Amino acid sequence: MFKKNLEAIKKVNKILAYKLEHVTIEEASRNLGAIKNEFGEYILTKDNKYVDDTPSPIASAKAIYEQQIKSATSRHDFIVIFGLGLGNLLDYAHTESVAQIVLYEPDINIIRFTCEYVDLTKYFNDGRLYITNNLTDCTNHVGEKYLLEDKIEFLYIKNYVLQKPSEFTVLTERIFEVCQEKIIDMNTIKKMSKVWINNSIKSFTNPKLRYPVNLLENTFKNKTALILGAGPSLKDNIEKIKQNREKFVVFTVHRTLETLRKNGITPDFCVIVDAQWVKDSISKDLEYLKDINFIVDIKADAYIYSLPCKNLFTYFSNNSIIAQKIATKMLGDIKLLEPAGTSTITAYKCAKLSGCKNFVFAGVDLAFKDDTAYCDDKNAVANTQTSVKIQNIVREITEIKSITGEYVKTRADYACFIKQFEKVFAVDKTNVYNLTTFGAFIKGMKYDNLENIISSLNPEVVSSEEILNNFLDTTRFNSQKLLDVAKEVFNEELNRIKPLIDEIDEWFEMYEEHPSFFDYATNIITKITSSMILSDYVQIEILRFTKLVLDKDEVKRKDFILDLFKHIKTFYKNLNNLT
């Protein structure tokens, strides 16, 4: 029986299968056993304690399922099961639902024991079951497959939860965390995917010459970077920063520029990743901007290209299809970079790329100070107990742990940014300081004042302008070629889409009378993948389409197809106009 189960597990989790091969049944059975009850059912025991529920694990599985699963599941939903036992809860969930099942059993000996005596192979046949003994593996699996409208339900063996309460608590917390992050990501994609693509195209229709940011690699080797965010602590430290400006390579986000200008500070680099409304939050002093180098994400607000700057660098992120296509044609001159998500993390990544050794953050509080949200005194006006209004935009609020040990209020999305920072620092293991005295506690940062940090690091005076000018005078990068290659990419895209547009136009002429309009439309939709940029543009609609195929509501289907095809025609029209 074990070999048969092992082959089935290998198809979904090779790492678990490898581990199981190295656990003998004798090892697994040392503290495990099975007792037969009065109904002829077997109950798993560990250290002479029941793991399965008593008196009847089969009846208990039915009761738990009916208690926890309140509505019908779809094949896109998830049921996360804590504890394998002898498989009774898994059996009932698999029989009663069509959902994806993720089974987390932290004790590999229980998996090995059960695989010796219970045939689990039928649960793997339809591809719905994933089994693991690793918590990170479990949450990653859910996170990779979870989509915006999917449901997640939890099932658990009650006796087992009583024995492992902390493991179950951590499991539920981690699953909710990863889904919350995915919801934010998916909502962002839902709102922004079309804006990102349009921005990328518009940016290259502007003739302004630019360089890929990877050309800055090791330009400021072993220097100390000062990274400025727009939080209240920037204003708290502005005088000290001004006094010690020459000791740092200064990277800032665009929302700080007016505060810096008023205090006579000119940063070396301004990093911009926001896709919208940059015009409302950037300095209006054009003369001031002329002395600043811009680092602009390829998907950022195209308004930026109408502004003066000293030099323009493009951050080519590897999650941009347009960036990928341009980089391929530039034959190694452009290095695709990991997307950073926020302006401040992007600024840190650029500073690290440029060779900086130490990193000092100011204005990176990720929390409110006396209900003040930003360095320019734009207040977080109380709206309700769970939200605030900042610059007429209502934001959800939450509480996070401060460096003081107390809890402070912050925007709910900032809580996700904290995790992003911690993930980055966990990998990089760099020397990172933060000047905040009240903000969020971010693992991987050291908290101190600027005087102590300077005393400890003893940073040398940096002639950033001279270093950058020498670099630009010697670079062989052809900026005009970059613009020409981008236009070539967009023209190729137009040629790919044109036949699809012709088919869509034909569909619009006859869809109301065609008896199999959906099948015909489906045939057209499958051709969208011939254009990677268009696929990116309508990615949310395509995800919805995969669910709609199973929907029998003809009106919903027709409305969806109409909406999708209108989006495609709008994209083609915009691309044609821009190029």
Side-chain angles (χ1 to χ4, degrees), residues 10-211:
K10 278 182 181 178
K11 294 177 182 178
V12 299
N13 192 336
K14 290 181 180 179
I15 294 175
L16 175 61
Y18 176 80
K19 291 178 182 177
L20 288 169
E21 282 183 301
H22 292 79
V23 179
T24 66
I25 188 60
E26 289 76 21
E27 290 173 320
S29 301
R30 280 176 189 160
N31 59 349
L32 294 173
I35 298 173
K36 198 172 187 179
N37 68 7
E38 60 185 294
F39 310 109
E41 304 166 6
Y42 284 95
I43 302 172
L44 181 67
T45 64
K46 180 179 179 180
D47 297 326
N48 297 317
K49 295 179 181 178
Y50 292 120
V51 173
D52 282 319
D53 289 333
T54 55
S56 168
I58 294 177
S60 178
K62 180 176 185 294
I64 290 168
Y65 185 91
E66 291 176 350
Q67 180 183 1
Q68 296 296 118
I69 311 297
K70 301 298 183 183
S71 58
T73 57
S74 78
R75 66 187 63 207
H76 300 283
D77 296 331
F78 289 85
I79 293 176
V80 179
I81 301 177
F82 179 70
L84 172 61
L86 291 177
N88 294 293
L89 191 54
L90 168 62
D91 179 73
Y92 197 85
H94 190 271
T95 303
E96 293 298 314
S97 78
V98 295
Q100 302 296 309
I101 298 174
V102 180
L103 194 150
Y104 173 53
E105 172 51 73
D107 189 339
I108 196 168
N109 287 328
I110 288 179
I111 302 177
R112 177 64 180 86
F113 184 90
T114 300
C115 283
E116 185 73 23
Y117 301 109
V118 180
D119 185 359
L120 302 176
T121 56
K122 64 180 179 180
Y123 308 120
F124 293 97
N125 290 338
D126 58 6
R128 291 194 290 130
L129 173 62
Y130 186 81
I131 183 171
T132 182
N133 74 316
N134 182 278
L135 178 60
T136 301
D137 182 35
C138 177
T139 55
N140 285 347
H141 181 80
V142 174
E144 287 170 7
K145 295 182 176 295
Y146 178 80
L147 297 178
L148 192 60
E149 296 171 356
D150 297 341
K151 291 188 301 183
I152 293 186
E153 306 281 4
F154 286 90
L155 296 177
Y156 51 87
I157 300 170
K158 291 181 179 179
N159 276 344
Y160 200 42
V161 168
L162 292 175
Q163 295 172 37
K164 292 183 177 287
S166 60
E167 286 94 333
F168 179 67
T169 300
V170 172
L171 170 67
T172 55
E173 287 176 350
R174 292 273 185 89
I175 292 288
F176 281 127
E177 279 178 10
V178 76
C179 291
Q180 182 62 32
E181 290 175 8
K182 194 73 177 281
I183 287 169
I184 291 172
D185 288 345
M186 293 299 291
N187 275 325
T188 302
I189 291 172
K190 182 178 179 181
K191 293 176 183 176
M192 302 306 298
S193 59
K194 295 172 181 56
V195 176
W196 287 335
I197 295 287
N198 287 334
N199 284 343
S200 300
I201 296 169
K202 287 178 184 178
S203 72
F204 285 102
T205 59
N206 186 294
K208 184 173 288 188
L209 298 178
R210 74 287 311 267
Y211 306 91

Side-chain angles (χ1 to χ4, degrees), residues 11 136 145 152 154 209 214 231 242 262 280 305 319 325 340 345 351 365 372 387 458 464 471 490 496 534 541:
K11 294 177 182 178
T136 301
K145 295 182 176 295
I152 293 186
F154 286 90
L209 298 178
N214 60 274
K242 186 175 180 178
K262 289 177 180 178
D280 298 333
Y305 298 92
N319 65 348
K325 285 184 167 291
I345 297 177
D365 309 300
T372 299
S387 65
N458 193 26
S464 300
F471 156 72
F490 300 142
R496 286 193 190 93
L534 176 60
E541 286 79 5

Side-chain angles (χ1 to χ4, degrees), residues 269-504:
F269 297 95
C270 176
V271 178
I272 308 167
V273 303
D274 288 13
Q276 295 174 310
W277 303 308
V278 169
K279 185 177 182 179
D280 298 333
S281 51
I282 198 167
S283 175
K284 304 299 188 292
D285 189 331
L286 301 187
E287 288 299 315
Y288 175 67
L289 298 180
K290 286 180 181 179
D291 292 326
I292 302 171
N293 299 288
F294 282 5
I295 298 175
V296 183
D297 188 276
I298 189 173
K299 297 179 286 189
D301 192 338
Y303 168 76
I304 299 156
Y305 298 92
S306 67
L307 299 174
C309 64
K310 191 170 185 179
N311 294 289
L312 178 62
F313 295 87
T314 301
Y315 192 100
F316 287 89
S317 49
N318 62 15
N319 65 348
S320 163
I321 297 297
I322 292 176
Q324 292 171 23
K325 285 184 167 291
I326 292 173
T328 300
K329 286 182 175 288
M330 289 297 289
L331 303 176
D333 286 341
I334 293 175
K335 181 179 178 181
L336 296 175
L337 304 171
E338 286 291 326
T342 71
S343 296
T344 314
I345 297 177
T346 304
Y348 163 77
K349 284 182 172 288
C350 290
K352 185 170 182 289
L353 174 74
S354 73
C356 290
K357 182 180 180 180
N358 303 301
F359 308 87
V360 182
F361 287 80
V364 182
D365 309 300
L366 299 179
F368 303 150
K369 182 184 181 184
D370 300 326
D371 291 329
T372 299
Y374 298 117
C375 57
D376 52 8
D377 292 331
K378 289 178 179 172
N379 292 333
V381 180
N383 194 48
T384 69
Q385 288 186 338
T386 59
S387 65
V388 292
K389 186 179 287 185
I390 306 173
Q391 296 176 276
N392 295 319
I393 299 174
V394 175
R395 304 278 191 180
E396 287 187 35
I397 60 172
T398 186
E399 289 191 339
I400 54 169
K401 188 176 180 181
S402 163
I403 65 166
T404 65
E406 303 294 326
Y407 280 83
V408 289
K409 291 181 180 178
T410 189
R411 285 167 39 177
D413 53 343
Y414 281 2
C416 292
F417 296 162
I418 292 167
K419 289 181 172 50
Q420 287 180 312
F421 270 110
E422 291 180 339
K423 286 179 181 178
V424 170
F425 296 149
V427 173
D428 290 352
K429 301 189 184 305
T430 44
N431 204 19
V432 183
Y433 298 87
N434 195 326
L435 304 185
T436 188
T437 57
F438 63 89
F441 175 78
I442 301 173
K443 191 175 180 181
M445 281 185 163
K446 304 170 188 175
Y447 296 87
D448 207 339
N449 61 56
L450 192 57
E451 294 97 324
N452 288 343
I453 293 170
I454 290 173
S455 176
S456 172
L457 299 178
N458 193 26
E460 61 185 28
V461 173
V462 184
S463 180
S464 300
E465 184 175 1
E466 182 181 343
I467 293 172
L468 197 56
N469 286 341
N470 289 339
F471 156 72
L472 293 173
D473 288 341
T474 57
T475 183
R476 295 183 179 181
F477 184 80
N478 188 336
S479 291
Q480 185 57 52
K481 180 184 176 182
L482 172 56
L483 295 177
D484 294 340
V485 163
K487 289 180 181 178
E488 183 183 330
V489 166
F490 300 142
N491 283 322
E492 288 175 355
E493 187 73 5
L494 277 173
N495 293 332
R496 286 193 190 93
I497 298 173
K498 183 61 171 67
L500 189 67
I501 295 298
D502 292 340
E503 287 193 60
I504 289 173

